[in-house]
């Protein structure tokens, strides 16, 4: 049987500018909508990640979950949704993984 394991000490990448709903006025503002390091490293406002992973544009999952709890959100609900998304993602890949496994077996 296929098993998935979620590790809570992963990495969360954030944008280096505050999020704003996409529209014509800000569609070209990459730092607001994309988390890619190769893009955000060009932002003069980019801030370094702290040693404990609690601040910066790259943070630990546990620090983000703790922030959610401190700010009135349910980290348990968010983590459960991450789990559901992981399952759906892997399920979508199972047919391709099965074909690949058959080819190399």
């Amino acid at each position: 049987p296929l098993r998935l394991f979620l590790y809570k000490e992963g990495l969360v990448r954030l944008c280096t500018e505050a999020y704003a709903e996409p529209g014509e006025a800000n569609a070209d503002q990459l730092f607001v909508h994309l988390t890619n390091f190769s893009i955000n490293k060009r932002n003069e406002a980019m801030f370094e990640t702290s040693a404990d992973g609690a601040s910066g544009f790259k943070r630990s999952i546990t620090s983000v979950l703790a922030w959610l709890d401190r700010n009135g959100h349910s980290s348990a609900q968010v983590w459960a949704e991450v789990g559901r998304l992981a399952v759906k993602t892997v399920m979508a890949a199972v047919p391709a993984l099965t074909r690949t496994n058959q080819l190399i077996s």
Side-chain angles (χ1 to χ4, degrees), residues 54-93:
S55 65
F57 77 101
K58 291 189 292 187
R59 300 182 189 183
S60 68
I61 290 175
T62 52
S63 73
V64 172
L65 293 175
W67 182 92
L68 289 169
D69 287 332
R70 283 193 312 272
N71 287 277
H73 306 283
S74 171
S75 66
Q77 186 176 5
V78 170
W79 190 246
E81 184 63 23
V82 167
R84 286 190 288 276
L85 289 171
V87 168
K88 291 174 184 177
T89 300
V90 172
M91 286 175 60

Side-chain angles (χ1 to χ4, degrees), residues 10-103:
L11 180 69
V12 175
R13 288 189 184 268
L14 304 169
C15 294
T16 54
E17 297 285 336
Y19 177 78
E21 189 170 335
E24 287 183 38
N26 69 357
D28 62 340
Q29 295 176 4
L30 300 178
F31 305 131
V32 173
H33 303 292
L34 299 173
T35 61
N36 305 53
F37 175 76
S38 60
I39 291 170
N40 282 287
K41 70 181 180 182
R42 291 182 263 150
N43 185 357
E44 292 178 11
M46 187 175 99
F47 45 101
E48 292 298 318
T49 301
S50 64
D52 64 358
S55 65
F57 77 101
K58 291 189 292 187
R59 300 182 189 183
S60 68
I61 290 175
T62 52
S63 73
V64 172
L65 293 175
W67 182 92
L68 289 169
D69 287 332
R70 283 193 312 272
N71 287 277
H73 306 283
S74 171
S75 66
Q77 186 176 5
V78 170
W79 190 246
E81 184 63 23
V82 167
R84 286 190 288 276
L85 289 171
V87 168
K88 291 174 184 177
T89 300
V90 172
M91 286 175 60
V94 165
L97 293 171
T98 302
R99 283 190 302 275
T100 301
N101 187 46
Q102 290 168 346
L103 290 172

